[in-house]
């Protein structure tokens, strides 16, 4: 089965392709949690290393076999992605065996997914290296997930090291995350220009998550910051129309609607009027969505039918492929 970007970034999202990737993300979290937090407390470092290596080898073996089948390449690529995400667990076990793991109480390995630690750079570098090698070998766009995750964690640690801190403050971490998201979005534009639309889609998604979540969690205690937040979200909506990426519109709409709901609440002193204000807001959004749809149709109908453009938008393979000999 082949899965193209258009199956996800299109007007009719279907559950099967989305379910594949959501399921993979859940399994990644489950494996990291069970191997490190639960079993890591009960097993020795040697047992943890053996168990993680067995899982990596088993997933790679099955994934590479599936990649040879035309109807199961997506499943094989996801299994290889799962194997890559277990690599940091093996590195953690090796650090325990060799004494490289700090003796001070920095928390369990599961905290790797919750808070960046400057002493865990080796695990992050291993995840980045494993993702890069796998991405080069099998060309599966979703492998950008562990790659960008490792880079995001490494960025947090390197900034902390540059500032001479063990950990970043909440505000500093948000700033690093927003900057990292902007850089990813810039790389995504480069990927689009090179014709790598499938990689651009995932880079856009991870870049938006890094930027928008940090933006939404930032300081919103005064009206000026809230207005800036609303303006930036409107910019995301406008950018979605320009570059034709619906992900920008989704994130921008969520942020803009949140601000408008807050504004309606502040402007209506009478609680009885608040539901009517929200209803008016909803009608306005419905009208805006209708206008947006008409503009997209006009833009599609007036787009030049250039042969190279057709190849770039239709014939982008997002399924995993194994390079020939």
């Amino acid at each position: 089965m082949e899965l193209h970007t258009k199956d996800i970034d299109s007007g009719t999202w279907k559950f099967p392709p989305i379910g594949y990737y959501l399921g993979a993300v859940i399994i990644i979290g489950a494996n990291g949690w069970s191997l490190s937090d639960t079993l890591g407390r009960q097993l020795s470092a040697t047992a943890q290393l053996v168990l993680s290596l067995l899982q990596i080898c088993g997933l790679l073996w099955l994934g590479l076999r599936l990649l040879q089948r035309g109807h199961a390449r997506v499943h094989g690529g996801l299994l290889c992605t799962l194997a890559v995400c277990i690599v940091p667990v093996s590195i953690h076990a090796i650090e325990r065996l060799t004494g490289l793991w700090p003796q001070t109480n920095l928390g369990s390995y599961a905290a790797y997914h919750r808070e960046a630690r400057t002493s865990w750079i080796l695990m992050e570098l291993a995840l980045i290296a494993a993702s890069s090698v796998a991405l080069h070998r099998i060309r599966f766009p979703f492998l950008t997930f562990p790659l960008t995750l490792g880079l995001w964690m490494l960025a947090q640690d390197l900034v902390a090291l540059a500032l001479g801190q063990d950990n970043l403050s909440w505000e500093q971490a948000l700033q690093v995350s927003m900057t990292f998201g902007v850089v990813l979005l810039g790389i995504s534009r480069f990927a689009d220009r090179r014709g790598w639309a499938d990689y651009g889609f995932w880079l856009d998604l991870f870049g938006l998550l890094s930027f928008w979540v940090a933006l939404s969690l930032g300081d919103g205690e005064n009206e000026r910051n809230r207005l800036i937040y609303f303006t930036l979200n409107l910019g995301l909506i406008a950018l979605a129309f320009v570059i034709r990426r619906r992900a920008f519109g989704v994130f921008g709409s969520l942020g803009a609607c949140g601000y408008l709901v807050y504004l309606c609440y502040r402007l209506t002193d009478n609680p009885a009027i608040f539901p009517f204000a929200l209803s008016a807001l909803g009608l306005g959004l419905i009208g805006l969505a209708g206008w947006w749809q008409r503009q997209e149709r006009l833009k599609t109908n007036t787009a030049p039918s250039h042969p190279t453009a057709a190849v770039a938008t239709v014939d982008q393979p997002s399924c995993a492929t194994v390079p020939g000999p």
Side-chain angles (χ1 to χ4, degrees), residues 175-283:
Q175 292 174 1
V176 172
S177 185
M178 284 191 289
T179 303
F180 181 80
V182 171
V183 172
L184 274 187
L185 294 175
I187 296 174
S188 175
R189 304 281 66 76
F190 172 78
D192 282 343
R193 293 192 186 96
R194 294 293 299 269
W196 304 331
D198 300 310
Y199 297 92
F201 169 79
W202 291 111
L203 289 173
D204 274 339
L205 181 59
F206 302 141
L208 283 169
L209 282 172
S210 180
F211 172 78
W212 186 85
V213 172
L215 180 68
S216 301
L217 294 176
D219 183 18
E221 296 299 325
N222 58 69
E223 296 299 328
R224 176 177 172 272
N225 289 343
R226 293 191 181 101
L227 183 58
I228 293 176
Y229 175 77
F230 176 65
T231 304
L232 289 175
N233 279 281
L234 290 181
L236 291 179
I237 296 174
L239 193 58
F241 180 74
V242 173
I243 65 176
R244 304 184 68 181
R245 286 287 193 185
R246 286 179 171 82
F248 284 81
V250 171
F251 282 92
S253 298
L254 288 174
C257 286
Y259 175 79
L260 291 176
V261 170
Y262 159 78
L263 198 61
C264 288
Y265 179 79
R266 287 294 304 271
L267 294 178
T268 54
D269 296 332
N270 190 344
I273 303 178
F274 181 61
F276 296 99
L278 281 183
S279 299
L281 173 62
L283 290 174

Side-chain angles (χ1 to χ4, degrees), residues 137-149:
R137 294 295 300 169
I138 68 174
R139 313 285 196 217
F140 190 65
F142 189 63
L143 279 165
T144 53
F145 168 64
L147 177 61
T148 54
L149 177 62

Side-chain angles (χ1 to χ4, degrees), residues 8-23:
I8 301 176
D9 191 27
S10 64
T12 57
W13 289 15
K14 300 177 182 178
F15 173 75
I18 298 175
Y20 291 150
Y21 294 100
L22 288 178

Side-chain angles (χ1 to χ4, degrees), residues 146-168:
L147 177 61
T148 54
L149 177 62
L151 289 172
W152 180 84
M153 300 292 289
L154 183 62
Q156 300 278 348
D157 286 346
L158 290 180
V159 172
L161 283 175
L163 297 176
Q165 303 173 192
D166 291 335
N167 293 293
L168 297 176

Side-chain angles (χ1 to χ4, degrees), residues 74-157:
V74 172
H75 307 78
L78 289 175
L79 290 179
C80 291
T81 304
L82 296 177
V84 167
C85 291
I86 301 177
V87 169
V89 182
S90 299
I91 301 301
H92 175 247
I94 293 174
E95 288 182 334
R96 291 175 60 193
L97 284 171
T98 58
L100 293 177
W101 183 250
Q103 299 301 313
T104 55
N105 184 19
L106 293 178
S108 64
Y109 168 81
Y112 176 75
H113 302 283
R114 297 193 298 264
E115 182 179 6
R117 304 282 189 179
T118 56
S119 58
W120 293 10
I121 292 180
L122 285 178
M123 286 187 288
E124 296 159 2
L125 291 175
L127 179 59
I128 294 169
S131 303
S132 301
V133 172
L135 190 59
H136 175 72
R137 294 295 300 169
I138 68 174
R139 313 285 196 217
F140 190 65
F142 189 63
L143 279 165
T144 53
F145 168 64
L147 177 61
T148 54
L149 177 62
L151 289 172
W152 180 84
M153 300 292 289
L154 183 62
Q156 300 278 348
D157 286 346

